[in-house]
mmCIF file of all heavy atoms in Angstrom:
data_model
loop_
_atom_site.group_PDB
_atom_site.id
_atom_site.type_symbol
_atom_site.label_atom_id
_atom_site.label_comp_id
_atom_site.label_asym_id
_atom_site.label_seq_id
_atom_site.Cartn_x
_atom_site.Cartn_y
_atom_site.Cartn_z
ATOM 1 N N ALA A 1 -12.564 9.038 15.623
ATOM 2 C CA ALA A 1 -11.565 7.973 15.429
ATOM 3 C C ALA A 1 -10.770 8.182 14.151
ATOM 4 O O ALA A 1 -9.684 7.620 13.986
ATOM 5 C CB ALA A 1 -12.246 6.608 15.404
ATOM 6 N N GLY A 2 -11.345 8.978 13.209
ATOM 7 C CA GLY A 2 -10.585 9.276 12.001
ATOM 8 C C GLY A 2 -11.302 9.043 10.690
ATOM 9 O O GLY A 2 -10.691 9.153 9.627
ATOM 10 N N TYR A 3 -12.623 8.726 10.730
ATOM 11 C CA TYR A 3 -13.335 8.513 9.460
ATOM 12 C C TYR A 3 -14.714 9.165 9.490
ATOM 13 O O TYR A 3 -15.496 8.953 10.424
ATOM 14 C CB TYR A 3 -13.484 7.026 9.139
ATOM 15 C CG TYR A 3 -14.130 6.804 7.786
ATOM 16 C CD1 TYR A 3 -13.483 7.217 6.623
ATOM 17 C CD2 TYR A 3 -15.388 6.216 7.669
ATOM 18 C CE1 TYR A 3 -14.070 7.058 5.378
ATOM 19 C CE2 TYR A 3 -15.975 6.041 6.424
ATOM 20 C CZ TYR A 3 -15.313 6.466 5.282
ATOM 21 O OH TYR A 3 -15.891 6.306 4.036
ATOM 22 N N ASP A 4 -15.006 9.921 8.444
ATOM 23 C CA ASP A 4 -16.286 10.619 8.309
ATOM 24 C C ASP A 4 -17.205 9.781 7.417
ATOM 25 O O ASP A 4 -17.049 9.743 6.197
ATOM 26 C CB ASP A 4 -16.054 11.999 7.686
ATOM 27 C CG ASP A 4 -17.340 12.798 7.540
ATOM 28 O OD1 ASP A 4 -18.420 12.278 7.928
ATOM 29 O OD2 ASP A 4 -17.278 13.928 7.020
ATOM 30 N N VAL A 5 -18.186 9.097 8.028
ATOM 31 C CA VAL A 5 -19.060 8.198 7.252
ATOM 32 C C VAL A 5 -19.964 8.960 6.283
ATOM 33 O O VAL A 5 -20.506 8.361 5.351
ATOM 34 C CB VAL A 5 -19.932 7.298 8.167
ATOM 35 C CG1 VAL A 5 -19.085 6.317 8.940
ATOM 36 C CG2 VAL A 5 -20.805 8.121 9.097
ATOM 37 N N THR A 6 -20.107 10.266 6.469
ATOM 38 C CA THR A 6 -20.958 11.026 5.522
ATOM 39 C C THR A 6 -20.317 11.086 4.135
ATOM 40 O O THR A 6 -20.996 11.423 3.158
ATOM 41 C CB THR A 6 -21.235 12.458 6.036
ATOM 42 O OG1 THR A 6 -19.995 13.172 6.141
ATOM 43 C CG2 THR A 6 -21.925 12.428 7.397
ATOM 44 N N ARG A 7 -19.038 10.738 4.029
ATOM 45 C CA ARG A 7 -18.393 10.624 2.707
ATOM 46 C C ARG A 7 -19.130 9.608 1.834
ATOM 47 O O ARG A 7 -19.105 9.687 0.605
ATOM 48 C CB ARG A 7 -16.934 10.175 2.855
ATOM 49 C CG ARG A 7 -15.993 11.207 3.412
ATOM 50 C CD ARG A 7 -14.627 10.592 3.738
ATOM 51 N NE ARG A 7 -13.974 9.998 2.581
ATOM 52 C CZ ARG A 7 -13.142 10.621 1.768
ATOM 53 N NH1 ARG A 7 -12.859 11.902 1.967
ATOM 54 N NH2 ARG A 7 -12.575 9.993 0.752
ATOM 55 N N LEU A 8 -19.787 8.640 2.484
ATOM 56 C CA LEU A 8 -20.463 7.568 1.746
ATOM 57 C C LEU A 8 -21.836 7.991 1.225
ATOM 58 O O LEU A 8 -22.442 7.273 0.427
ATOM 59 C CB LEU A 8 -20.613 6.332 2.647
ATOM 60 C CG LEU A 8 -19.305 5.779 3.241
ATOM 61 C CD1 LEU A 8 -19.598 4.676 4.241
ATOM 62 C CD2 LEU A 8 -18.380 5.281 2.140
ATOM 63 N N ASN A 9 -22.310 9.149 1.686
ATOM 64 C CA ASN A 9 -23.643 9.612 1.266
ATOM 65 C C ASN A 9 -23.728 9.893 -0.225
ATOM 66 O O ASN A 9 -24.802 9.877 -0.817
ATOM 67 C CB ASN A 9 -24.044 10.879 2.041
ATOM 68 C CG ASN A 9 -24.241 10.598 3.523
ATOM 69 O OD1 ASN A 9 -24.273 9.437 3.930
ATOM 70 N ND2 ASN A 9 -24.364 11.645 4.324
ATOM 71 N N GLU A 10 -22.589 10.146 -0.844
ATOM 72 C CA GLU A 10 -22.577 10.465 -2.279
ATOM 73 C C GLU A 10 -22.350 9.228 -3.143
ATOM 74 O O GLU A 10 -21.998 9.327 -4.317
ATOM 75 C CB GLU A 10 -21.481 11.502 -2.561
ATOM 76 C CG GLU A 10 -21.750 12.846 -1.906
ATOM 77 C CD GLU A 10 -20.469 13.620 -1.608
ATOM 78 O OE1 GLU A 10 -19.430 13.290 -2.203
ATOM 79 O OE2 GLU A 10 -20.545 14.544 -0.775
ATOM 80 N N GLY A 11 -22.532 8.031 -2.534
ATOM 81 C CA GLY A 11 -22.420 6.795 -3.309
ATOM 82 C C GLY A 11 -21.039 6.172 -3.332
ATOM 83 O O GLY A 11 -20.795 5.222 -4.078
ATOM 84 N N ARG A 12 -20.095 6.725 -2.548
ATOM 85 C CA ARG A 12 -18.769 6.103 -2.473
ATOM 86 C C ARG A 12 -18.872 4.722 -1.852
ATOM 87 O O ARG A 12 -19.719 4.483 -0.982
ATOM 88 C CB ARG A 12 -17.808 6.949 -1.630
ATOM 89 C CG ARG A 12 -17.380 8.239 -2.276
ATOM 90 C CD ARG A 12 -16.429 9.018 -1.387
ATOM 91 N NE ARG A 12 -15.104 8.408 -1.323
ATOM 92 C CZ ARG A 12 -14.131 8.630 -2.220
ATOM 93 N NH1 ARG A 12 -14.360 9.421 -3.262
ATOM 94 N NH2 ARG A 12 -12.952 8.064 -2.085
ATOM 95 N N LYS A 13 -18.023 3.814 -2.298
ATOM 96 C CA LYS A 13 -17.968 2.482 -1.706
ATOM 97 C C LYS A 13 -16.925 2.463 -0.594
ATOM 98 O O LYS A 13 -16.027 3.312 -0.552
ATOM 99 C CB LYS A 13 -17.616 1.440 -2.783
ATOM 100 C CG LYS A 13 -18.717 1.238 -3.812
ATOM 101 C CD LYS A 13 -18.313 0.219 -4.869
ATOM 102 C CE LYS A 13 -19.450 -0.018 -5.858
ATOM 103 N NZ LYS A 13 -19.055 -0.982 -6.932
ATOM 104 N N LEU A 14 -17.060 1.476 0.287
ATOM 105 C CA LEU A 14 -16.166 1.363 1.430
ATOM 106 C C LEU A 14 -15.636 -0.063 1.542
ATOM 107 O O LEU A 14 -16.414 -1.020 1.575
ATOM 108 C CB LEU A 14 -16.909 1.739 2.720
ATOM 109 C CG LEU A 14 -16.237 1.389 4.055
ATOM 110 C CD1 LEU A 14 -14.934 2.151 4.211
ATOM 111 C CD2 LEU A 14 -17.174 1.690 5.224
ATOM 112 N N VAL A 15 -14.315 -0.204 1.593
ATOM 113 C CA VAL A 15 -13.671 -1.486 1.901
ATOM 114 C C VAL A 15 -13.180 -1.397 3.346
ATOM 115 O O VAL A 15 -12.340 -0.553 3.674
ATOM 116 C CB VAL A 15 -12.491 -1.788 0.950
ATOM 117 C CG1 VAL A 15 -11.797 -3.093 1.364
ATOM 118 C CG2 VAL A 15 -12.982 -1.880 -0.494
ATOM 119 N N LEU A 16 -13.739 -2.250 4.200
ATOM 120 C CA LEU A 16 -13.375 -2.261 5.618
ATOM 121 C C LEU A 16 -12.341 -3.368 5.840
ATOM 122 O O LEU A 16 -12.540 -4.509 5.424
ATOM 123 C CB LEU A 16 -14.624 -2.514 6.468
ATOM 124 C CG LEU A 16 -14.439 -2.630 7.976
ATOM 125 C CD1 LEU A 16 -13.800 -1.380 8.563
ATOM 126 C CD2 LEU A 16 -15.782 -2.908 8.656
ATOM 127 N N ILE A 17 -11.243 -3.019 6.506
ATOM 128 C CA ILE A 17 -10.110 -3.942 6.651
ATOM 129 C C ILE A 17 -9.823 -4.192 8.132
ATOM 130 O O ILE A 17 -9.801 -3.261 8.934
ATOM 131 C CB ILE A 17 -8.843 -3.338 6.002
ATOM 132 C CG1 ILE A 17 -9.086 -3.046 4.517
ATOM 133 C CG2 ILE A 17 -7.643 -4.263 6.175
ATOM 134 C CD1 ILE A 17 -8.122 -2.033 3.936
ATOM 135 N N THR A 18 -9.612 -5.450 8.491
ATOM 136 C CA THR A 18 -9.051 -5.760 9.806
ATOM 137 C C THR A 18 -7.966 -6.803 9.608
ATOM 138 O O THR A 18 -8.140 -7.737 8.828
ATOM 139 C CB THR A 18 -10.105 -6.312 10.807
ATOM 140 O OG1 THR A 18 -10.471 -7.643 10.428
ATOM 141 C CG2 THR A 18 -11.344 -5.428 10.852
ATOM 142 N N GLY A 19 -6.854 -6.637 10.302
ATOM 143 C CA GLY A 19 -5.767 -7.606 10.178
ATOM 144 C C GLY A 19 -4.862 -7.561 11.382
ATOM 145 O O GLY A 19 -4.314 -6.516 11.700
ATOM 146 N N HIS A 20 -4.738 -8.697 12.069
ATOM 147 C CA HIS A 20 -3.900 -8.690 13.277
ATOM 148 C C HIS A 20 -3.388 -10.063 13.670
ATOM 149 O O HIS A 20 -2.793 -10.229 14.725
ATOM 150 C CB HIS A 20 -4.700 -8.122 14.459
ATOM 151 C CG HIS A 20 -5.882 -8.969 14.833
ATOM 152 N ND1 HIS A 20 -7.118 -8.798 14.260
ATOM 153 C CD2 HIS A 20 -6.001 -10.010 15.687
ATOM 154 C CE1 HIS A 20 -7.954 -9.687 14.769
ATOM 155 N NE2 HIS A 20 -7.306 -10.431 15.632
ATOM 156 N N ARG A 21 -3.586 -11.099 12.846
ATOM 157 C CA ARG A 21 -3.300 -12.449 13.295
ATOM 158 C C ARG A 21 -1.803 -12.712 13.429
ATOM 159 O O ARG A 21 -1.007 -12.349 12.577
ATOM 160 C CB ARG A 21 -3.905 -13.489 12.351
ATOM 161 C CG ARG A 21 -5.409 -13.442 12.305
ATOM 162 C CD ARG A 21 -5.964 -14.757 11.825
ATOM 163 N NE ARG A 21 -5.833 -15.769 12.851
ATOM 164 C CZ ARG A 21 -6.665 -15.872 13.882
ATOM 165 N NH1 ARG A 21 -7.663 -15.038 14.012
ATOM 166 N NH2 ARG A 21 -6.485 -16.816 14.767
ATOM 167 N N ARG A 22 -1.478 -13.431 14.485
ATOM 168 C CA ARG A 22 -0.087 -13.766 14.822
ATOM 169 C C ARG A 22 0.623 -14.474 13.665
ATOM 170 O O ARG A 22 1.766 -14.192 13.349
ATOM 171 C CB ARG A 22 -0.106 -14.669 16.065
ATOM 172 C CG ARG A 22 1.215 -14.907 16.725
ATOM 173 C CD ARG A 22 1.034 -15.893 17.877
ATOM 174 N NE ARG A 22 0.178 -15.359 18.923
ATOM 175 C CZ ARG A 22 0.623 -14.783 20.034
ATOM 176 N NH1 ARG A 22 1.908 -14.661 20.234
ATOM 177 N NH2 ARG A 22 -0.219 -14.339 20.943
ATOM 178 N N GLU A 23 -0.082 -15.436 12.998
ATOM 179 C CA GLU A 23 0.616 -16.218 11.968
ATOM 180 C C GLU A 23 0.890 -15.414 10.701
ATOM 181 O O GLU A 23 1.646 -15.848 9.831
ATOM 182 C CB GLU A 23 -0.149 -17.515 11.622
ATOM 183 C CG GLU A 23 -1.397 -17.335 10.783
ATOM 184 C CD GLU A 23 -2.676 -17.408 11.614
ATOM 185 O OE1 GLU A 23 -2.612 -17.098 12.826
ATOM 186 O OE2 GLU A 23 -3.708 -17.765 11.059
ATOM 187 N N ASN A 24 0.269 -14.228 10.573
ATOM 188 C CA ASN A 24 0.500 -13.392 9.390
ATOM 189 C C ASN A 24 1.633 -12.379 9.574
ATOM 190 O O ASN A 24 2.022 -11.714 8.626
ATOM 191 C CB ASN A 24 -0.779 -12.640 9.009
ATOM 192 C CG ASN A 24 -1.788 -13.535 8.300
ATOM 193 O OD1 ASN A 24 -1.432 -14.603 7.810
ATOM 194 N ND2 ASN A 24 -3.026 -13.113 8.262
ATOM 195 N N PHE A 25 2.152 -12.255 10.800
ATOM 196 C CA PHE A 25 3.222 -11.280 11.035
ATOM 197 C C PHE A 25 4.434 -11.631 10.175
ATOM 198 O O PHE A 25 4.735 -12.785 9.942
ATOM 199 C CB PHE A 25 3.618 -11.247 12.518
ATOM 200 C CG PHE A 25 2.541 -10.734 13.435
ATOM 201 C CD1 PHE A 25 2.562 -11.031 14.788
ATOM 202 C CD2 PHE A 25 1.491 -9.961 12.948
ATOM 203 C CE1 PHE A 25 1.566 -10.570 15.645
ATOM 204 C CE2 PHE A 25 0.491 -9.490 13.800
ATOM 205 C CZ PHE A 25 0.524 -9.808 15.138
ATOM 206 N N GLY A 26 5.140 -10.603 9.717
ATOM 207 C CA GLY A 26 6.311 -10.846 8.868
ATOM 208 C C GLY A 26 5.988 -10.552 7.415
ATOM 209 O O GLY A 26 5.242 -9.618 7.104
ATOM 210 N N ASP A 27 6.547 -11.375 6.512
ATOM 211 C CA ASP A 27 6.393 -11.136 5.074
ATOM 212 C C ASP A 27 4.937 -11.151 4.637
ATOM 213 O O ASP A 27 4.528 -10.367 3.780
ATOM 214 C CB ASP A 27 7.172 -12.194 4.281
ATOM 215 C CG ASP A 27 8.682 -12.010 4.426
ATOM 216 O OD1 ASP A 27 9.101 -10.934 4.892
ATOM 217 O OD2 ASP A 27 9.423 -12.950 4.087
ATOM 218 N N GLY A 28 4.148 -12.064 5.214
ATOM 219 C CA GLY A 28 2.730 -12.158 4.846
ATOM 220 C C GLY A 28 1.998 -10.853 5.097
ATOM 221 O O GLY A 28 1.196 -10.393 4.278
ATOM 222 N N PHE A 29 2.303 -10.240 6.228
ATOM 223 C CA PHE A 29 1.626 -8.989 6.575
ATOM 224 C C PHE A 29 2.057 -7.861 5.640
ATOM 225 O O PHE A 29 1.231 -7.030 5.239
ATOM 226 C CB PHE A 29 1.921 -8.627 8.038
ATOM 227 C CG PHE A 29 0.885 -7.738 8.635
ATOM 228 C CD1 PHE A 29 -0.283 -8.261 9.154
ATOM 229 C CD2 PHE A 29 1.051 -6.364 8.653
ATOM 230 C CE1 PHE A 29 -1.264 -7.430 9.685
ATOM 231 C CE2 PHE A 29 0.083 -5.528 9.189
ATOM 232 C CZ PHE A 29 -1.074 -6.072 9.702
ATOM 233 N N ILE A 30 3.329 -7.852 5.284
ATOM 234 C CA ILE A 30 3.824 -6.841 4.343
ATOM 235 C C ILE A 30 3.098 -6.966 3.000
ATOM 236 O O ILE A 30 2.679 -5.964 2.407
ATOM 237 C CB ILE A 30 5.355 -6.982 4.139
ATOM 238 C CG1 ILE A 30 6.111 -6.661 5.434
ATOM 239 C CG2 ILE A 30 5.838 -6.126 2.976
ATOM 240 C CD1 ILE A 30 6.199 -5.187 5.780
ATOM 241 N N ARG A 31 2.908 -8.207 2.526
ATOM 242 C CA ARG A 31 2.187 -8.424 1.254
ATOM 243 C C ARG A 31 0.741 -7.938 1.358
ATOM 244 O O ARG A 31 0.219 -7.302 0.432
ATOM 245 C CB ARG A 31 2.214 -9.910 0.877
ATOM 246 C CG ARG A 31 3.569 -10.413 0.417
ATOM 247 C CD ARG A 31 3.459 -11.771 -0.260
ATOM 248 N NE ARG A 31 2.933 -12.801 0.614
ATOM 249 C CZ ARG A 31 3.684 -13.540 1.432
ATOM 250 N NH1 ARG A 31 4.995 -13.354 1.492
ATOM 251 N NH2 ARG A 31 3.134 -14.477 2.195
ATOM 252 N N MET A 32 0.092 -8.227 2.491
ATOM 253 C CA MET A 32 -1.288 -7.794 2.694
ATOM 254 C C MET A 32 -1.392 -6.269 2.644
ATOM 255 O O MET A 32 -2.249 -5.710 1.941
ATOM 256 C CB MET A 32 -1.791 -8.281 4.069
ATOM 257 C CG MET A 32 -2.122 -9.760 4.128
ATOM 258 S SD MET A 32 -2.198 -10.414 5.833
ATOM 259 C CE MET A 32 -3.282 -9.268 6.641
ATOM 260 N N VAL A 33 -0.524 -5.607 3.380
ATOM 261 C CA VAL A 33 -0.573 -4.145 3.467
ATOM 262 C C VAL A 33 -0.235 -3.506 2.119
ATOM 263 O O VAL A 33 -0.859 -2.515 1.705
ATOM 264 C CB VAL A 33 0.369 -3.636 4.585
ATOM 265 C CG1 VAL A 33 0.388 -2.117 4.620
ATOM 266 C CG2 VAL A 33 -0.079 -4.181 5.945
ATOM 267 N N THR A 34 0.734 -4.092 1.399
ATOM 268 C CA THR A 34 1.099 -3.571 0.081
ATOM 269 C C THR A 34 -0.074 -3.689 -0.894
ATOM 270 O O THR A 34 -0.354 -2.753 -1.672
ATOM 271 C CB THR A 34 2.329 -4.328 -0.479
ATOM 272 O OG1 THR A 34 3.390 -4.244 0.476
ATOM 273 C CG2 THR A 34 2.784 -3.724 -1.798
ATOM 274 N N ALA A 35 -0.773 -4.813 -0.847
ATOM 275 C CA ALA A 35 -1.948 -5.005 -1.709
ATOM 276 C C ALA A 35 -3.017 -3.956 -1.406
ATOM 277 O O ALA A 35 -3.626 -3.372 -2.324
ATOM 278 C CB ALA A 35 -2.519 -6.412 -1.521
ATOM 279 N N MET A 36 -3.232 -3.681 -0.135
ATOM 280 C CA MET A 36 -4.228 -2.674 0.252
ATOM 281 C C MET A 36 -3.837 -1.289 -0.267
ATOM 282 O O MET A 36 -4.681 -0.541 -0.775
ATOM 283 C CB MET A 36 -4.350 -2.619 1.778
ATOM 284 C CG MET A 36 -4.871 -3.879 2.423
ATOM 285 S SD MET A 36 -4.644 -3.759 4.219
ATOM 286 C CE MET A 36 -4.635 -5.488 4.666
ATOM 287 N N LYS A 37 -2.576 -0.960 -0.119
ATOM 288 C CA LYS A 37 -2.089 0.351 -0.581
ATOM 289 C C LYS A 37 -2.311 0.493 -2.087
ATOM 290 O O LYS A 37 -2.835 1.517 -2.566
ATOM 291 C CB LYS A 37 -0.601 0.491 -0.243
ATOM 292 C CG LYS A 37 0.061 1.767 -0.769
ATOM 293 C CD LYS A 37 1.507 1.847 -0.282
ATOM 294 C CE LYS A 37 2.225 3.077 -0.822
ATOM 295 N NZ LYS A 37 2.640 2.913 -2.224
ATOM 296 N N ASP A 38 -1.922 -0.547 -2.853
ATOM 297 C CA ASP A 38 -2.054 -0.479 -4.311
ATOM 298 C C ASP A 38 -3.518 -0.436 -4.744
ATOM 299 O O ASP A 38 -3.867 0.248 -5.713
ATOM 300 C CB ASP A 38 -1.328 -1.669 -4.950
ATOM 301 C CG ASP A 38 0.192 -1.561 -4.786
ATOM 302 O OD1 ASP A 38 0.658 -0.503 -4.314
ATOM 303 O OD2 ASP A 38 0.896 -2.537 -5.114
ATOM 304 N N LEU A 39 -4.385 -1.147 -4.022
ATOM 305 C CA LEU A 39 -5.821 -1.102 -4.335
ATOM 306 C C LEU A 39 -6.383 0.299 -4.117
ATOM 307 O O LEU A 39 -7.202 0.779 -4.905
ATOM 308 C CB LEU A 39 -6.582 -2.115 -3.460
ATOM 309 C CG LEU A 39 -6.540 -3.565 -3.934
ATOM 310 C CD1 LEU A 39 -6.930 -4.517 -2.799
ATOM 311 C CD2 LEU A 39 -7.475 -3.771 -5.132
ATOM 312 N N SER A 40 -5.939 0.959 -3.060
ATOM 313 C CA SER A 40 -6.457 2.308 -2.783
ATOM 314 C C SER A 40 -6.035 3.288 -3.878
ATOM 315 O O SER A 40 -6.753 4.250 -4.175
ATOM 316 C CB SER A 40 -5.980 2.795 -1.405
ATOM 317 O OG SER A 40 -4.593 3.062 -1.408
ATOM 318 N N GLU A 41 -4.873 3.035 -4.479
ATOM 319 C CA GLU A 41 -4.416 3.904 -5.576
ATOM 320 C C GLU A 41 -5.117 3.546 -6.888
ATOM 321 O O GLU A 41 -5.370 4.415 -7.725
ATOM 322 C CB GLU A 41 -2.891 3.780 -5.706
ATOM 323 C CG GLU A 41 -2.171 4.420 -4.509
ATOM 324 C CD GLU A 41 -0.688 4.080 -4.431
ATOM 325 O OE1 GLU A 41 -0.205 3.307 -5.309
ATOM 326 O OE2 GLU A 41 -0.015 4.568 -3.501
ATOM 327 N N LYS A 42 -5.466 2.267 -7.053
ATOM 328 C CA LYS A 42 -6.195 1.823 -8.246
ATOM 329 C C LYS A 42 -7.641 2.333 -8.236
ATOM 330 O O LYS A 42 -8.222 2.616 -9.284
ATOM 331 C CB LYS A 42 -6.185 0.289 -8.307
ATOM 332 C CG LYS A 42 -6.900 -0.301 -9.526
ATOM 333 C CD LYS A 42 -6.873 -1.831 -9.493
ATOM 334 C CE LYS A 42 -7.649 -2.427 -10.670
ATOM 335 N NZ LYS A 42 -7.698 -3.916 -10.599
#
C-alpha cells in the first residue's frame, strides 16, 4: 500500500492520519493538510 512498518523497528514514531469528513472540505481541509505538511518538516 506504500508504507514499510519495519521503519519503526529503530524507534521511529508514527503519526497516523485520517481525514475525509464532508464538513471539512474547502478551506478547513487545506489548513489541516498544510499543518500536516509543516509538522512532517518540523
Side-chain angles (χ1 to χ4, degrees):
Y3 184 65
D4 181 0
V5 293
T6 62
R7 288 170 59 91
L8 304 173
N9 294 349
E10 295 153 18
R12 289 180 73 85
K13 292 179 177 178
L14 167 64
V15 177
L16 177 58
I17 301 159
T18 72
H20 64 271
R21 296 202 73 80
R22 191 184 296 262
E23 74 258 26
N24 283 342
F25 294 159
D27 290 345
F29 204 83
I30 294 285
R31 288 194 299 273
M32 285 162 51
V33 176
T34 305
M36 296 169 203
K37 175 176 178 283
D38 291 352
L39 279 162
S40 70
E41 290 168 359
K42 181 181 177 184

